């Protein structure tokens, strides 16, 4: 009897409402403690990560003057940032990098460091220290995953490092951030992301040896159909690995003008004149003298009159002024005319001597148009070294 009473009193303690309240407080306290510990660990990890990044730049040395200035002046950072910007404007990016690293080394607080890290990443990118730029932007992204500006620089860095799959992953992040922002009316931005993704995929396919050539062609053709601006890069790739395929696809092109430099620089031995059907491509080789020689030899064989030769020469006139100028100069004068090529960005209208996938001035993708002019051909092989 006594035992059962003791048991009942023992068992009834958990029915007490006070016990429930105490239990609730204990659970809240435990959750709070876990959250506090987690935040402390995260902060420590972040500080440790920043310290590691700083150590990786230690070989650059710390500018004593900058360090001294930071010690003496409580509000020295804006002034130093201004000086670093002035160095960048004057092209002295190394000095700017030293200032930014000195600020990072001398400032204990992590707050405000992201701005300096971003500036340091951009300076590294501009100076061509791509691996360091990548580490810096990754450090920023680790703490601020939605920082679109850093993501855009990270994308460009990955692209320059030929890490195309990583760059595609960054585009996925940018698209997700954009879609979550709620403001999805900017179709131009989405189109630009799609175009970047297609371009990076094509670049990845060019360099991926694990994919068969047939599979690559199938995917590249699909990309070419969706994004005509990719055509030139894809055709140049075909030319390198499968000449027959290059000529087959090149003849179907709707933008022969933009391929003029590719056709013009193709050696005679790689031009299958007998299978050419596209009149614009035929015109290129007529101007270069490859097709005219055949026409003349055919006439010589058939022993037709001079009048007939003249009429054929007239019908062989090139529609493009520069090509016709080269053709005429080759036939009727002793000048060895040649075509000189330059490239104009369709976005910023800047003109460049070499073609690149991205405009060096405005960063527009595949925006180059081919410009050509007639020049006297100079045989550089026989140039004097003096
Ligand atoms: Zn441009």
């Amino acid at each position: 009897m006594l035992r059962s009473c003791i048991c009942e009193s023992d068992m009834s303690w958990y029915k007490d409402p006070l016990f429930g309240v105490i239990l609730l407080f204990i659970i809240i306290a435990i959750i709070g403690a876990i959250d506090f510990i987690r935040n402390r660990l995260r902060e420590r990890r972040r500080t440790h990560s920043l310290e590691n990044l700083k150590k990786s730049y230690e070989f650059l040395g710390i500018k004593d003057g900058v360090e001294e200035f930071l010690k003496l002046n409580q509000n020295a950072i804006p002034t130093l940032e201004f000086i670093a910007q002035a160095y960048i404007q004057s092209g002295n990016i190394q000095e700017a990098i030293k200032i930014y690293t000195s600020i990072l080394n001398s400032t204990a607080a992590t707050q405000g460091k992201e701005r300096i890290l971003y500036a340091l990443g951009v300076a590294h990118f501009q100076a061509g220290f791509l691996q360091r730029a990548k580490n810096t932007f990754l450090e920023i992204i680790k703490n601020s995953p939605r920082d679109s500006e850093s993501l855009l620089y990270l994308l460009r860095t990955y692209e320059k490092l030929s890490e195309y799959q990583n760059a595609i992953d960054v585009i996925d992040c940018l698209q997700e951030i954009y879609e979550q922002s709620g403001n999805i009316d900017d179709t131009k931005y989405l189109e630009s992301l799609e175009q970047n993704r297609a371009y990076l995929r094509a670049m990845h396919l060019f360099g991926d040896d694990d994919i068969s050539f047939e599979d690559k062609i199938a995917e590249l053709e699909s990309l070419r159909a969706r994004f005509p601006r990719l055509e030139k890069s894809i055709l140049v790739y075909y030319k390198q690995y499968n000449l027959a395929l290059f000529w087959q696809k090149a003849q179907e092109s709707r933008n022969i003008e933009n391929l003029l430099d590719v056709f013009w620089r193709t050696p005679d031995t790689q031009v299958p004149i007998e299978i050419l059907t596209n009149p614009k491509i035929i015109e290129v080789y007529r101007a270069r003298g490859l097709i005219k020689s055949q026409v003349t030899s055919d006439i010589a064989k058939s022993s037709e009159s001079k009048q007939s030769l003249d009429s054929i020469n007239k019908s062989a006139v090139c529609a493009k002024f520069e090509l016709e100028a080269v053709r005429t100069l080759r036939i009727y004068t002793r000048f060895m005319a040649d075509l000189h090529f330059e490239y104009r960005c369709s976005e910023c209208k800047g003109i460049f001597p070499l073609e690149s996938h991205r405009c060096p001035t405005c960063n527009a993708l595949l925006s180059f148009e081919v410009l050509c002019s007639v020049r006297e051909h100079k045989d550089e092989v026989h140039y004097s070294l003096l």
Side-chain angles (χ1 to χ4, degrees):
M1 185 70 182
L2 183 65
R3 192 172 177 177
S4 69
C5 282
I6 291 167
C7 279
E8 268 179 29
S9 66
D10 279 355
M11 294 300 286
S12 64
W13 60 269
Y14 68 86
K15 290 180 183 169
D16 191 341
L18 191 63
F19 169 72
V21 173
I22 291 167
L23 192 65
L24 182 69
F25 273 111
I26 288 170
I27 291 168
I28 290 170
I30 289 169
I31 291 170
I34 290 170
D35 195 48
F36 175 75
I37 292 166
R38 202 183 60 178
N39 282 338
R40 284 297 299 269
L41 283 173
R42 192 182 291 165
E43 185 64 29
R44 191 178 292 175
R45 222 171 22 238
R46 190 180 297 176
T47 314
H48 185 66
S49 180
L50 277 171
E51 288 302 318
N52 282 344
L53 190 74
K54 281 194 304 185
K55 276 180 198 164
S56 69
Y57 300 136
E58 268 175 8
F59 70 94
L60 286 168
I62 299 169
K63 282 271 171 196
D64 294 338
V66 173
E67 205 178 25
E68 198 63 31
F69 186 54
L70 279 163
K71 275 182 194 165
L72 291 171
N73 195 332
Q74 292 291 317
N75 199 24
I77 293 174
T79 313
L80 288 171
E81 278 184 85
F82 179 76
I83 296 168
Q85 278 301 319
Y87 271 127
I88 289 173
Q89 295 285 329
S90 62
N92 201 345
I93 298 171
Q94 285 277 16
E95 289 303 313
I97 290 172
K98 284 176 187 172
I99 292 174
Y100 287 136
T101 46
S102 299
I103 297 172
L104 283 173
N105 281 324
S106 308
T107 315
T110 50
Q111 263 190 346
K113 274 193 173 180
E114 270 181 22
R115 197 182 66 249
I116 306 294
L117 270 177
Y118 176 78
L120 178 66
V122 174
H124 276 141
F125 180 84
Q126 288 172 336
F129 300 138
L130 299 176
Q131 200 61 42
R132 282 182 230 159
K134 179 178 123 179
N135 291 342
T136 311
F137 290 121
L138 282 174
E139 187 61 40
I140 300 170
I141 301 302
K142 206 186 286 176
N143 297 316
S144 308
R146 303 177 73 83
D147 185 339
S148 298
E149 285 186 22
S150 297
L151 279 169
L152 279 169
Y153 263 105
L154 185 62
L155 166 67
R156 290 172 66 185
T157 311
Y158 275 138
E159 186 190 328
K160 278 185 180 273
L161 285 167
S162 303
E163 295 181 24
Y164 299 116
Q165 192 50 53
N166 286 336
I168 292 171
D169 292 343
V170 174
I171 289 193
D172 292 342
C173 290
L174 283 167
Q175 184 157 355
E176 206 176 312
I177 291 169
Y178 178 72
E179 283 168 356
Q180 284 175 2
S181 72
N183 176 29
I184 48 169
D185 300 332
D186 193 353
T187 48
K188 205 174 172 188
Y189 179 72
L190 278 176
E191 274 172 25
S192 121
L193 288 182
E194 277 303 309
Q195 212 161 64
N196 271 280
R197 188 182 280 116
Y199 159 72
L200 291 165
R201 181 64 191 157
M203 291 294 127
H204 179 74
L205 285 170
F206 293 161
D208 192 342
D209 295 332
D210 296 333
I211 305 172
S212 71
F213 192 64
E214 288 70 27
D215 290 345
K216 281 184 188 181
I217 293 168
E219 198 171 341
L220 288 171
E221 283 303 301
S222 150
L223 289 172
R224 187 164 79 108
R226 281 191 292 142
F227 302 98
R229 281 187 181 192
L230 280 169
E231 183 177 62
K232 190 170 186 179
S233 309
I234 293 173
L235 287 178
V236 168
Y237 172 73
Y238 289 164
K239 186 168 177 272
Q240 212 174 344
Y241 293 99
N242 189 332
L243 204 58
L245 182 68
F246 163 72
W247 284 111
Q248 183 202 330
K249 300 292 179 190
Q251 298 214 75
E252 296 165 7
S253 170
R254 290 182 182 177
N255 195 0
I256 298 289
E257 281 80 8
N258 215 38
L259 291 162
L260 193 57
D261 56 337
V262 178
F263 292 132
W264 192 258
R265 287 168 182 158
T266 304
D268 292 359
T269 50
Q270 292 183 8
V271 183
I273 293 169
E274 61 287 350
I275 65 149
L276 292 182
T277 52
N278 189 313
K280 287 187 175 175
I281 302 178
I282 291 172
E283 212 178 86
V284 175
Y285 295 110
R286 191 181 291 140
R288 218 167 74 178
L290 266 181
I291 290 181
K292 185 204 139 226
S293 60
Q294 273 203 344
V295 170
T296 318
S297 61
D298 288 349
I299 291 161
K301 274 181 205 164
S302 61
S303 65
E304 286 185 22
S305 64
K306 187 178 177 298
Q307 196 182 356
S308 174
L309 180 67
D310 285 345
S311 68
I312 286 175
N313 270 338
K314 270 184 189 169
S315 70
V317 167
C318 300
K320 191 172 173 64
F321 170 77
E322 289 83 1
L323 291 175
E324 179 57 13
V326 171
R327 191 189 75 87
T328 315
L329 283 166
R330 278 179 186 270
I331 294 172
Y332 298 109
T333 71
R334 61 182 181 80
F335 287 110
M336 287 296 288
D338 199 358
L339 285 183
H340 173 76
F341 295 100
E342 285 177 311
Y343 303 90
R344 182 175 58 202
C345 171
S346 59
E347 301 291 325
C348 68
K349 307 298 174 197
I351 294 177
F352 305 90
L354 296 172
E355 189 169 29
S356 57
H357 293 140
R358 278 194 194 275
C359 172
T361 307
C362 72
N363 199 37
L365 181 66
L366 302 169
S367 61
F368 278 9
E369 301 163 334
V370 175
L371 300 177
C372 69
S373 55
V374 181
R375 297 269 173 96
E376 187 180 355
H377 177 76
K378 287 178 180 163
D379 193 354
E380 292 174 15
V381 175
H382 297 113
Y383 274 3
S384 164
L385 288 174
L386 303 171

